[in-house]
Amino acid sequence: MMDPGLTILTAMITPAVLISGAGAILMSTTTRVGRVTDRIKHYTDRFRALVEGDHLDGTLATAEKEMIMGQLEIHSQRSRMLLRAMTGLYVAISLFVLASVLIGARELTQGTTGVLPTVIAVLGSLSLAYATLMLSVEVRLSAKASRQEMNFMLRLGERYSQLYDETHSPSGQAAARPVR
């Protein structure tokens, strides 16, 4: 026959493992929130500089402003997704802790809590699932933002490469660029 103390401990460990997993996800999500906040600040500062400054190439400045506005929209969506995920993770952790406490209390008091600890643990699992779904959406938004920024940087590189070729060609005209 199994030791009752061991049974209690075993029943309480399952929510504790889930708490640990949710906590690890929460820590990485907190880091991501900080990175999104930094990106938003960077783009806001860069946009302010573009609006206030004189620019040699107005077309590129306009394109950069448009790219920044698109980035700000994506990063604000990312921020909302991350906040939803964090809320889901905090709720999940709270529910797992509550389930663990109820399991322990039931065993210590020889009371009956019925299916309440199980229902609470299932709700915690659903909250954890919701949070990971939000994180998967946020990852896709992050990839979209990176693609847009890279596309702009490629356009910028092409433009400045063309300006360099025009400035440094012997006849003052654009030098023939090798075909790749």
Side-chain angles (χ1 to χ4, degrees):
M1 182 159 192
M2 190 175 243
D3 178 13
L6 186 57
T7 303
I8 296 169
L9 187 59
T10 302
M12 292 179 71
I13 285 177
T14 301
V17 170
L18 294 170
I19 291 166
S20 176
I25 295 169
L26 185 59
M27 286 177 34
S28 71
T29 303
T30 302
T31 301
R32 291 166 77 138
V33 168
R35 288 182 18 216
V36 167
T37 302
D38 290 345
R39 294 302 294 165
I40 289 171
K41 181 169 178 8
H42 164 76
Y43 283 122
T44 302
D45 291 346
R46 181 67 185 136
F47 188 78
R48 187 175 298 117
L50 282 168
V51 171
E52 295 171 353
D54 286 332
H55 303 283
L56 295 175
D57 191 331
T59 303
L60 282 177
T62 300
E64 186 172 7
K65 289 175 194 174
E66 290 171 4
M67 185 270 303
I68 289 171
M69 293 307 294
Q71 290 291 309
L72 288 172
E73 176 59 32
I74 291 171
H75 289 302
S76 70
Q77 289 175 356
R78 287 182 65 199
S79 178
R80 286 190 298 273
M81 290 292 152
L82 289 168
L83 290 175
R84 288 177 187 145
M86 288 181 77
T87 299
L89 290 167
Y90 280 121
V91 168
I93 290 169
S94 298
L95 291 170
F96 293 145
V97 168
L98 181 59
S100 184
V101 167
L102 287 173
I103 290 167
R106 177 185 60 205
E107 297 300 324
L108 289 174
T109 63
Q110 299 299 316
T112 62
T113 56
V115 296
L116 188 59
T118 304
V119 170
I120 289 174
V122 168
L123 291 174
S125 296
L126 289 172
S127 186
L128 182 59
Y130 170 78
T132 55
L133 178 63
M134 290 297 105
L135 289 172
S136 69
V137 171
E138 186 274 336
V139 165
R140 294 189 62 75
L141 287 171
S142 176
K144 179 180 179 181
S146 295
R147 280 191 309 273
Q148 285 181 356
E149 191 171 358
M150 185 55 65
N151 286 337
F152 173 76
M153 292 307 295
L154 289 170
R155 285 179 53 205
L156 187 67
E158 285 290 323
R159 177 67 180 132
Y160 281 107
S161 174
Q162 179 185 20
L163 290 173
Y164 179 85
D165 289 347
E166 289 172 3
T167 305
H168 291 88
S169 70
S171 64
Q173 296 178 350
R177 295 186 56 194
V179 177
R180 297 183 232 193

